Amino acid sequence: MVCHFRKKFHKRIKSFLVICCFVSPTYFIYSHRLVKEEPLCLKNTCSCETCISDRGISHWFDRRFNSSIQPQLTSNNENIPREVLLWWLTLQSRHPRVNIIHSKLFEAMPKSDPSQSASPCRCRSCAVVGNSGNLKGSNYGELIDSQDFVIRMNGAVTTGYEADVGKKTTHHFMYPESAKDLESNVHLVLVPFKPQDLLWFMNVLSNRKNILMYRRVKSYIKADRDKISIFHPTFFKYVHDEWTEHHGRYPSTGMLALIFGLHICDQLSVFGYGVDKDGNWHHYWENNRLAGAFHITGVHNATCETRIISHLAEIGKIQLYRGRHGAS
Ligand code: C5P
């Protein structure tokens, strides 16, 4: 009986050893492979070859870039610090109304970060497309459409300009005076340059008659209710403090969209910023080269913003495509 038990026991040990001999090398080979592939997900801040949020490449960038500041308001981060509120409320009004932020507005806000924060296993490519006339004849359409996210702004049009500007849009930045109808799959990002812009948005959302703005604004816009968000005033001030460093009264929509892109993307290609090859500042859909839309607003500092964009390109944080202005 004892002998039989021993025999059985030895047999089991033998088969265990055979399994070990077979499994261990296989495990070693596979685990080695896993270790070899792991850095894609563990070593970097994203899985692209280089990631925007990688540190240690430029002190200038590292000093400014603060990944903890969320670009969009959500119903979880609607608290606006007092100093931000005071700055933002006086942006365009000498008599600000502090109680303007209505709780109803936040009911319509997404509950969590709609752009989802970076992950080591993600490689999100984006295009931010400004409205510069340097896009005319650029043939960037395909390149722009090949990015995961395509961010456009204000009066940007694509119909009729597809070859140069592409036809894909995932995010559209606007404020009341630049509002336009959007396709149902596009994220609307409202940039509240003034508190009344939030009131306008609330009214638009509830289809109520709109408040009086200094220019005639749309009282109804077509947009996907599940894809609306508000640019966070804290992020707005962060761009003004850290990036444009108080040059100009406040940053332009283009500057805000670009820094937004730095925060939600892992790689960012920038199109449609700056003058065209003849030094004009008009929009790519305009024929009037003297329009100078962006440059003559008087509130933004175009020179400073252009310098920042060029520097971001020099240090490799963005790929800058200058269109018909010159070489990319
Ligand atoms: O003129 P608009 O504000 O609609 O343009 C959107 C953004 O595109 C601007 O805020 C600016 O950053 C950029 N732009 C530019 N050069 C132009 C026109 C617009 O850099 N000629």
Side-chain angles (χ1 to χ4, degrees):
M1 181 75 185
V2 175
C3 197
H4 177 71
F5 180 76
R6 255 200 205 150
K7 253 187 182 171
K8 232 180 162 182
F9 182 69
H10 278 157
K11 224 176 160 186
R12 278 201 182 150
I13 295 244
K14 244 185 186 173
S15 36
F16 174 73
L17 285 175
V18 169
I19 290 172
C20 283
C21 288
F22 176 74
V23 169
S24 333
T26 321
Y27 174 75
F28 178 76
I29 291 165
Y30 276 98
S31 63
H32 187 64
R33 262 198 209 160
L34 276 181
V35 170
K36 265 191 134 178
E37 282 169 10
E38 259 177 8
L40 277 182
C41 279
L42 293 180
K43 214 181 104 204
N44 303 315
T45 41
C46 76
S47 68
C48 314
E49 221 165 275
T50 56
C51 313
I52 289 171
S53 51
D54 283 343
R55 300 190 78 82
I57 292 158
S58 152
H59 288 305
W60 176 85
F61 182 85
D62 291 349
R63 265 204 316 276
R64 287 163 178 78
F65 185 77
N66 183 348
S67 61
S68 72
I69 302 186
Q70 280 185 23
Q72 284 151 292
L73 268 173
T74 66
S75 50
N76 291 328
N77 73 3
E78 81 268 35
N79 282 338
I80 304 173
R82 201 179 144 71
E83 79 272 12
V84 173
L85 201 59
L86 286 177
W87 171 77
W88 177 62
L89 288 174
T90 50
L91 266 192
Q92 296 196 2
S93 164
R94 284 176 211 282
H95 309 289
R97 290 160 57 196
V98 185
N99 61 351
I100 213 147
I101 302 169
H102 197 286
S103 62
K104 273 250 176 295
L105 186 65
F106 294 108
E107 284 169 20
M109 291 299 97
K111 299 227 175 335
S112 56
D113 180 3
S115 316
Q116 287 161 1
S117 22
S119 121
C121 292
R122 185 192 79 182
C123 179
R124 181 186 282 162
S125 65
C126 303
V128 60
V129 188
N131 290 333
S132 167
N134 69 26
L135 282 167
K136 256 189 202 169
S138 66
N139 252 327
Y140 288 147
E142 240 176 77
L143 180 60
I144 291 173
D145 284 347
S146 69
Q147 312 298 314
D148 298 325
F149 282 1
V150 178
I151 303 165
R152 300 185 196 270
M153 60 208 79
N154 298 338
V157 279
T158 52
T159 311
Y161 301 90
E162 292 88 345
D164 293 334
V165 307
K167 49 183 177 229
K168 176 173 171 180
T169 306
T170 59
H171 294 71
H172 198 111
F173 277 53
M174 61 172 76
Y175 50 94
E177 291 82 359
S178 73
K180 60 178 288 177
D181 293 338
L182 301 179
E183 298 293 324
S184 61
N185 55 348
V186 179
H187 290 263
L188 185 168
V189 183
L190 173 82
V191 183
F193 282 109
K194 52 193 177 303
Q196 284 92 331
D197 293 353
L198 289 182
L199 268 186
W200 169 83
F201 202 45
M202 254 173 55
N203 289 342
V204 162
L205 288 177
S206 56
N207 291 335
R208 286 215 308 265
K209 199 174 172 308
N210 231 306
I211 51 165
L212 212 64
M213 309 291 275
Y214 67 85
R215 213 198 294 168
R216 221 179 135 239
V217 293
K218 278 168 89 80
S219 53
Y220 174 79
I221 44 169
K222 230 173 75 192
D224 190 333
R225 290 266 172 145
D226 296 329
K227 290 193 167 61
I228 52 170
S229 65
I230 295 175
F231 197 83
H232 206 303
T234 306
F235 195 87
F236 198 150
K237 186 161 189 300
Y238 153 70
V239 178
H240 185 58
D241 289 345
E242 304 299 331
W243 293 95
T244 51
E245 294 175 305
H246 301 188
H247 292 283
R249 279 200 58 213
Y250 48 88
S252 69
T253 322
M255 195 65 203
L256 296 173
L258 196 152
I259 306 296
F260 173 91
L262 285 181
H263 278 248
I264 70 158
C265 307
D266 301 313
Q267 296 198 321
L268 182 62
S269 302
V270 176
F271 305 85
Y273 282 74
V275 288
D276 71 358
K277 65 181 189 333
D278 301 316
N280 299 307
W281 286 91
H282 65 310
H283 297 133
Y284 60 83
W285 61 86
E286 283 167 350
N287 283 325
N288 180 6
R289 290 179 164 261
L290 300 175
F294 166 59
H295 202 234
I296 55 157
T297 59
V299 281
H300 314 307
N301 188 323
T303 314
C304 163
E305 293 190 3
T306 305
R307 226 180 18 238
I308 293 166
I309 297 169
S310 299
H311 195 60
L312 283 168
E314 274 161 33
I315 60 172
K317 290 291 178 182
I318 60 169
Q319 284 70 51
L320 179 59
Y321 295 87
R322 297 178 193 271
R324 298 291 304 276
H325 170 261
S328 69

